[in-house]
Amino acid sequence: MVETKKHKIVSYKTYGIILIALIILTFISVFVTRIDLSNLSIVVALSIAGIKSLLVFSFFMHLLYDKKMYSLMVAGVLLVMTLVLIVTFLDYSYL
Amino acid sequence: MEGNNSNDHYDHEGSKMGMWLFIFTELLFFGGLFFVYAISRYKNETAFALAAEELNVTTGAINTIILLISSATIAMAVSAIQLKKKNITLIFLAITLILAVVFLVNKYFEWGAKIEHGIYPGSEILQQLGYGEILYFGLYFAMTGLHALHIIVGIVIILIISVKVYNEKIHAERFVQLENTGLYWHLVDIIWIFLFPLFYLIV
C-alpha cells in the first residue's frame, strides 16, 4: 500500500537560510586561515567544518525532523570514528 | 492517491534506513582515509603546510560553494516533489546536475595544472621532493579522486532519478528514491566540507 504517514516538508526558505549560513562559514574559514594563528588555525578551520557538517546533517539530511533513532545512529558512528582516531594517535605518540 | 505500482511493496522508512546504513559505511571508508591524513600530517607537519600552498584556495572555495548550493537545490527538490510540483522538482534536479558538472570541470583544470607541473603520483618531480610532500600529494590525489568518483556516480543517479520524476514513477506519495539520492549527495557534500580545509586551507 501507499504510505499514508505525513512527512515534514521543509520550506525552500529554510534551506535558503541554511545555504547562506554555510557559505558565510566557508568565507570565515578561508579568512581565518589566511591570518596567522599558527596551530590555532587548523583547530578553527576544523571547528567551522564541524559546524557546517552539523548544519547539513540537521537540515539538509533531515535529522532534525526525522525519528530520533537516525540521530542516535549518526552519533554512534561519529563516536566510533573519534575513538578509533584517539587510539590511533595514542599508538603514534608513544612510538 | 494511488501510486503507479500501488500493489508492490513500498516501505519508505525501511528504504531510508538502508540508505543511512550505506552512508555509515561511506563515512567509515572516508574516515579511514582522514585518519591516514591526520597521522601523516602529524608526522610531517612542515612538509604538509608547504605542499598545501601549491593548491589554489580560490578554486577550492569556489568548488565548496558550488557543492553547498547543489546540496541545497537537491534538498529543495525533495520539498518540491512533496508539494506535487513536478516541474519545479525537475528544475532543482537540473540545477544540481549542472553544478555537479561545473565542480568536475573545475577539478579537471585543477588536476590538469598539477599534472602539467609534473605533480602526480609517481612523477619524477614528486620523487625528488621529500617524503612528506609525496604523502601529501598522494593523499590529495587519492582523496579528491575518490570524492570526484562519488560526484560522477551521483550525476548518474540524479540523471536516472530525474527521468523517473519525469515519467512520474517518483511522485508526492512515493519519493524515497529521490530522498535517498539527496542523502547521498549531502554525504558527498559533507566529505568535501572536510577535504577543503584539510588540503587547501592548512598553512
Side-chain angles (χ1 to χ4, degrees):
Chain A
M1 263 312 287
V2 173
E3 177 114 338
T4 45
K5 216 176 106 288
K6 264 272 163 252
H7 291 275
K8 162 90 183 166
I9 303 175
V10 185
S11 67
Y12 301 142
K13 198 179 152 195
T14 308
Y15 287 139
I17 292 168
I18 297 302
L19 174 61
I20 291 164
L22 287 168
I23 292 174
I24 291 171
L25 284 169
T26 306
F27 281 121
I28 292 174
S29 71
V30 172
F31 178 74
V32 167
T33 48
R34 290 308 92 182
I35 48 174
D36 191 29
L37 294 169
S38 66
N39 282 334
L40 204 64
S41 67
I42 188 76
V43 178
V44 175
L46 283 181
S47 307
I48 293 175
I51 297 167
K52 283 165 75 182
S53 57
L54 192 68
L55 286 176
V56 174
F57 270 128
S58 311
F59 292 93
F60 288 176
M61 295 174 97
H62 292 180
L63 282 185
L64 210 59
Y65 313 105
D66 269 334
K67 291 193 177 116
K68 276 275 177 295
M69 179 177 52
Y70 291 103
S71 306
L72 281 173
M73 279 165 44
V74 172
V77 170
L78 296 181
L79 182 68
V80 167
M81 285 168 73
T82 314
L83 289 176
V84 173
L85 186 66
I86 290 171
V87 172
T88 314
F89 262 99
L90 284 178
D91 220 15
Y92 273 87
S93 302
Y94 296 100
L95 270 183
Chain B
M1 192 184 162
E2 287 286 299
N4 283 345
N5 309 295
S6 54
N7 288 326
D8 58 9
H9 180 69
Y10 177 70
D11 180 355
H12 191 106
E13 207 64 39
S15 302
K16 199 159 71 178
M17 178 66 76
M19 192 64 207
W20 270 105
L21 291 177
F22 170 69
I23 283 170
F24 295 150
T25 69
E26 290 277 78
L27 282 177
L28 293 171
F29 169 59
F30 274 96
L33 288 165
F34 278 116
F35 298 161
V36 175
Y37 173 94
I39 294 297
S40 308
R41 182 184 145 83
Y42 174 67
K43 291 276 164 192
N44 310 275
E45 209 156 333
T46 13
F48 265 53
L50 279 174
E53 291 190 12
E54 292 285 318
L55 294 191
N56 189 327
V57 177
T58 316
T59 317
I62 290 171
N63 263 354
T64 306
I65 291 165
I66 288 171
L67 268 197
L68 290 173
I69 298 173
S70 76
S71 234
T73 52
I74 202 162
M76 287 172 180
V78 177
S79 288
I81 195 91
Q82 292 176 84
L83 294 166
K84 300 188 170 69
K85 305 265 193 252
K86 179 182 156 187
N87 288 335
I88 294 175
T89 309
L90 286 170
I91 290 168
F92 280 135
L93 287 174
I95 298 172
T96 311
L97 274 173
I98 293 165
L99 291 170
V101 172
V102 173
F103 179 94
L104 281 182
V105 170
N106 274 347
K107 199 89 250 164
Y108 168 80
F109 283 114
E110 198 187 9
W111 272 36
K114 283 281 148 306
I115 292 165
E116 215 168 278
H117 289 110
I119 297 174
Y120 52 87
S123 77
E124 269 175 42
I125 291 173
L126 198 54
Q127 297 300 330
Q128 285 159 13
L129 295 172
Y131 179 64
E133 275 92 349
I134 296 173
L135 266 177
Y136 175 88
F137 282 109
L139 282 167
Y140 163 74
F141 279 109
M143 292 177 80
T144 59
L146 275 168
H147 180 264
L149 192 66
H150 279 76
I151 299 268
I152 294 168
V153 171
I155 288 174
V156 174
I157 297 170
I158 295 169
L159 271 174
I160 296 169
I161 290 299
S162 303
V163 172
K164 284 189 157 191
V165 171
Y166 181 77
N167 292 333
E168 288 174 24
K169 296 265 190 245
I170 293 172
H171 48 78
E173 308 297 325
R174 203 183 172 96
F175 62 90
V176 74
Q177 289 185 342
L178 174 58
E179 194 178 0
N180 285 347
T181 308
L183 286 176
Y184 172 83
W185 197 252
H186 301 315
L187 164 87
V188 175
D189 191 23
I190 285 177
I191 292 162
W192 185 261
I193 284 175
F194 283 96
L195 286 178
F196 173 61
L198 289 178
F199 281 103
Y200 295 78
L201 291 184
I202 54 153
V203 232

